[in-house]
Amino acid sequence: MAAPPRHSTMLSISNAGTSQSTGTDRTQVPQSSSPAQTSGLRVPSNRKTIYDRHLNRSRNAELSRASFAYLFGEMVTYAQRRVTGIQDLEKRKDTPSASVCSTYSSTAPPPPPPPLSPAPPPPRLPPNRPLRILSLLHLIHGPLWRLLFQRAADALEHSVSAETPNEYMITDNDPLVNTYISVPREMSMLNCAAFVAGIIEGVCDGCGFEAKVSAHNQPTEMWPSRTVFLVRFGESVMEREKVLERAGVK
Amino acid sequence: MLSYQSRAALDVLIPSTPCVLSPHSQLSKMSYYFTILSPTDTPIFNIAFGTSKGGGDGIARFRFPDTAQYMNQFIIHSSLDIVEEAQWTNGGMYLKHIDTYPPATAYISAFLTPSGARFLLLHQPPQLPSSGTSGSLGSSSLLGSSASTTRASSSSVAANPTSPQTEEAIRQFMNEIYESYVKTAMSPFYKQGMEIKSPVFRTRVTAAGKKWL
Amino acid sequence: MSTQKASRIGEEIWKTRIDKVNAELVTLTYGTIVAQLCQDYDSNYQEVNKQLDKMGYNIGMRLIEDFLAKSGVGRCANFRETADMIAKVGFKIFLNVAPTVTNWTSDNNQFSLIFDDNPLADFVELPDDGRAQDELWFSNILCGVLRGALEMVQMQIEAHFVSDVLRGDDTTEMRVSLVRYIEDEMPPEDD
């Protein structure tokens, strides 16, 4: 996505709030009270809004694993239903969901749901922005995994091939979503891990590390649902990595 | 809301009062312009306010009253290159005071969220009261809110825009907004780059400004 | 069975017999589903409500087995007892909340569930489009769950939300009405 022209967009937004006040009064109008920008959302009188809720309140809260499984199952079924039949896809080309559908279709059912990704987990994670690939991956392997699954991932590896220096692997021997979710038979177990891959990809992108993440079932005798998440960083990330390396940024 | 309306009405009544505070308390009353830019530099929130600490009335009085909006945005955007550079060399979220725009004596402080949103605060000390007119004193009594402004201003953090106290106060301010911002971003209906329109969020920012700046 | 006893059972099962998962994973997953539906149905919120209810119905039909197995509770003596079982055991073990049962009609066929807490709606602010707060029932999936689950135990019910803090109301309230006991039906004698 191209960045919008910096200056012009800025002006258009803020003008909306203050246009009525220009001209007559020479002194500054307190824009903080300018009504035009505010929304029409109603809030309960007891102030039960998202802003009144402590951010870490649910950090350690738990819910039933079964509930997650049910919701997840419905999400998977829904995603699958949305793309049954080429005509169906064709029909939806012009709707806002077209882009989602194309994602769905290219990866086969079901997709990693993108909306999860922008929700930033950062405040519960260490209060630093990762600058280098490794610190980002450690963030995912450790704190993020613990946040989601109450334990760290099992392994973090770098591709040994000189041709693919941009590939990293995060391994989970026994991923939650594969263990507890039963999905229709015709869908491989792999697809549930795609959900987690989507979350990882979202975190990478969100932190400014453009990446493609895919999930691969690589069972061992001991761990039948062992899953490897392959993280492939984009060209721009690798370029920046080199620059930062030279600059000595950690 | 009411107090805003009545203040605005007074402002119209007294058209030529760029300085409505008495000169000595005015020294430390800063004007602030705070903006949030998405990772792709789309502005998603902005607000102007003034010092509330030490009896300030919380109203912004920029040096270019007519064009302050444009000037502030211009100044903030001109510091984005520095922000982008700092983004990949400094792993902290609060980048402190990063830029100064001398022609307007405007200082810029920046805060970067891990997901790439930029919080930018422009702070501008008031003009020295060299041009202070006697009329401004009269008008200050008209504004009920400034009755208490003669309290000692030593507690104000803004006296020196680059002092450690100021940095700390701004850091607290930024952190508080960050928490609200995360709550906004966690909502499943919020998509990156969307304008933040929630009145509750605006109230929170205003409160943080009052509390820390 | 008294309400207190139902509460104790619910607590006990929640503590000892339930596999848990991070609450935010559930919350964000549900939020993702609703947001995706709103997008796919082009903010036709009536349709989104319907879809959520349908999803809930599917879940409810499967969830009841799970519920009976985990709780080990038997048949309820009456609809009042059913209400307590739903609120204090069912909601407790699946959502870790225990809504208040109240506002009974005199015929004991209708009651309200008042939710002080609703983990599905944590972090949620409805779209500011002037309609969502009037038309979308964000947690509507719960109505479907109740309908589906109770149908499996021969109760046809109707459930809908009447208020929601997400809409700016002071409470979140679901109204549940017993339509009929399915087993009470005589088998059709003839056409």
Side-chain angles (χ1 to χ4, degrees), chain C residues 64-120:
Chain C
I64 189 70
E65 291 295 340
D66 198 10
F67 170 80
L68 294 173
K70 277 177 182 140
S71 67
V73 298
R75 176 164 292 272
C76 295
N78 52 47
F79 198 50
R80 273 187 171 261
E81 209 176 289
T82 305
D84 281 341
M85 204 52 77
I86 292 168
K88 307 300 177 190
V89 185
F91 273 102
K92 180 67 193 176
I93 66 181
F94 289 106
L95 277 187
N96 192 22
V97 293
T100 308
V101 181
T102 184
N103 297 339
W104 281 98
T105 50
S106 55
D107 61 3
N108 285 332
N109 278 343
Q110 272 184 45
F111 63 92
S112 290
L113 292 171
I114 311 269
F115 296 82
D116 284 332
D117 249 329
N118 175 8
L120 293 186

Side-chain angles (χ1 to χ4, degrees), chain B residues 9-92:
Chain B
L10 277 172
D11 287 344
V12 178
L13 281 175
I14 315 155
S16 56
T17 51
C19 327
V20 287
L21 296 171
S22 57
H24 72 276
S25 68
Q26 178 192 46
L27 276 172
S28 57
K29 301 292 177 281
M30 303 282 282
S31 294
Y32 297 99
Y33 188 84
F34 174 73
T35 191
I36 300 180
L37 303 181
S38 79
T40 50
D41 295 330
T42 311
I44 55 178
F45 180 85
N46 50 59
I47 188 171
F49 59 96
T51 299
S52 291
K53 285 211 154 200
D57 60 4
I59 295 176
R61 293 177 182 79
F62 292 105
R63 297 186 178 199
F64 311 97
D66 289 330
T67 53
Q69 276 277 20
Y70 306 94
M71 280 305 288
N72 291 337
Q73 286 153 14
F74 171 76
I75 296 167
I76 278 183
H77 277 74
S78 66
S79 67
L80 275 178
D81 287 342
I82 299 179
V83 173
E84 264 157 35
E85 210 178 295
Q87 181 166 9
W88 293 106
T89 52
N90 179 340

Side-chain angles (χ1 to χ4, degrees), chain A residues 39-40 42 44-46 48 50 53 57-58 61 63-65 67-68 70 74 78 82 97 116 124 147, chain C residues 19-24 29 40 62 66 93-95 116-117 122-124 128 133-134 167 169-170:
Chain A
S39 78
R42 299 182 297 268
S45 60
N46 51 11
K48 270 194 183 171
I50 51 173
R53 184 177 179 284
R57 205 184 85 183
S58 55
L63 284 180
S64 142
R65 207 166 256 185
S67 301
F68 175 67
Y70 291 129
E74 282 304 310
Y78 172 74
R82 293 292 288 174
S97 66
L116 247 188
R124 300 47 146 359
L147 181 71
Chain C
D19 283 332
K20 316 261 189 350
V21 70
N22 181 308
E24 292 182 1
T29 301
D40 288 354
R62 285 179 286 140
D66 198 10
I93 66 181
F94 289 106
L95 277 187
D116 284 332
D117 249 329
D122 282 346
F123 320 122
V124 177
D128 182 20
Q133 274 199 322
D134 295 320
R167 290 182 168 212
D169 300 322
D170 284 343

Side-chain angles (χ1 to χ4, degrees), chain C:
Chain C
M1 186 187 289
S2 70
T3 307
Q4 287 77 11
K5 186 161 178 225
S7 299
R8 273 201 307 278
I9 292 176
E11 284 288 343
E12 185 60 26
I13 300 170
W14 167 254
K15 275 190 203 134
T16 57
R17 270 186 264 172
I18 301 294
D19 283 332
K20 316 261 189 350
V21 70
N22 181 308
E24 292 182 1
L25 196 57
V26 181
T27 304
L28 293 176
T29 301
Y30 184 66
T32 302
I33 292 174
V34 182
Q36 187 70 53
L37 283 171
C38 290
Q39 190 184 329
D40 288 354
Y41 286 94
D42 217 0
S43 300
N44 178 345
Y45 297 120
Q46 272 84 13
E47 193 54 39
V48 174
N49 292 339
K50 215 186 286 172
Q51 291 297 324
L52 287 172
D53 184 83
K54 234 188 243 177
M55 285 183 174
Y57 182 76
N58 292 336
I59 291 176
M61 292 200 298
R62 285 179 286 140
L63 169 145
I64 189 70
E65 291 295 340
D66 198 10
F67 170 80
L68 294 173
K70 277 177 182 140
S71 67
V73 298
R75 176 164 292 272
C76 295
N78 52 47
F79 198 50
R80 273 187 171 261
E81 209 176 289
T82 305
D84 281 341
M85 204 52 77
I86 292 168
K88 307 300 177 190
V89 185
F91 273 102
K92 180 67 193 176
I93 66 181
F94 289 106
L95 277 187
N96 192 22
V97 293
T100 308
V101 181
T102 184
N103 297 339
W104 281 98
T105 50
S106 55
D107 61 3
N108 285 332
N109 278 343
Q110 272 184 45
F111 63 92
S112 290
L113 292 171
I114 311 269
F115 296 82
D116 284 332
D117 249 329
N118 175 8
L120 293 186
D122 282 346
F123 320 122
V124 177
E125 190 173 58
L126 294 185
D128 182 20
D129 58 3
R131 293 195 299 114
Q133 274 199 322
D134 295 320
E135 298 170 17
L136 178 64
W137 292 111
F138 184 83
S139 306
N140 217 40
I141 198 165
L142 297 178
C143 299
V145 171
L146 282 195
R147 195 161 58 82
L150 292 179
E151 192 173 297
M152 297 303 281
V153 288
Q154 279 78 49
M155 268 177 269
Q156 189 186 340
I157 60 127
E158 193 280 328
H160 62 275
F161 278 97
V162 291
S163 67
D164 188 343
V165 290
L166 294 184
R167 290 182 168 212
D169 300 322
D170 284 343
T171 56
T172 298
E173 175 177 350
M174 188 202 290
R175 195 77 188 140
V176 183
S177 321
L178 175 66
V179 178
R180 59 179 184 143
Y181 284 101
I182 298 169
E183 60 179 354
D184 286 346
E185 294 273 295
M186 296 301 286
E189 287 164 18
D190 48 45
D191 296 341

Side-chain angles (χ1 to χ4, degrees), chain A residues 7-26:
Chain A
H7 207 63
S8 55
T9 45
M10 184 78 180
L11 291 179
S12 65
I13 281 198
S14 54
N15 277 348
T18 50
S19 53
Q20 79 276 28
S21 63
T22 50
T24 44
D25 39 346
R26 305 274 310 276

Side-chain angles (χ1 to χ4, degrees), chain B residues 73-159:
Chain B
Q73 286 153 14
F74 171 76
I75 296 167
I76 278 183
H77 277 74
S78 66
S79 67
L80 275 178
D81 287 342
I82 299 179
V83 173
E84 264 157 35
E85 210 178 295
Q87 181 166 9
W88 293 106
T89 52
N90 179 340
M93 291 202 267
Y94 181 40
L95 304 179
K96 300 191 178 173
H97 165 242
I98 52 149
D99 197 13
T100 307
Y101 181 74
T105 332
Y107 300 80
I108 311 283
S109 300
F111 181 99
L112 289 174
T113 75
S115 58
R118 300 119 199 269
F119 297 0
L120 296 164
L121 180 74
L122 177 150
H123 31 133
Q124 187 184 56
Q127 230 154 356
L128 290 172
S130 56
S131 61
T133 62
S134 55
S136 66
L137 277 171
S139 64
S140 77
S141 63
L142 267 174
L143 288 164
S145 58
S146 60
S148 60
T149 54
T150 45
R151 256 171 46 201
S153 57
S154 57
S155 63
S156 172
V157 296

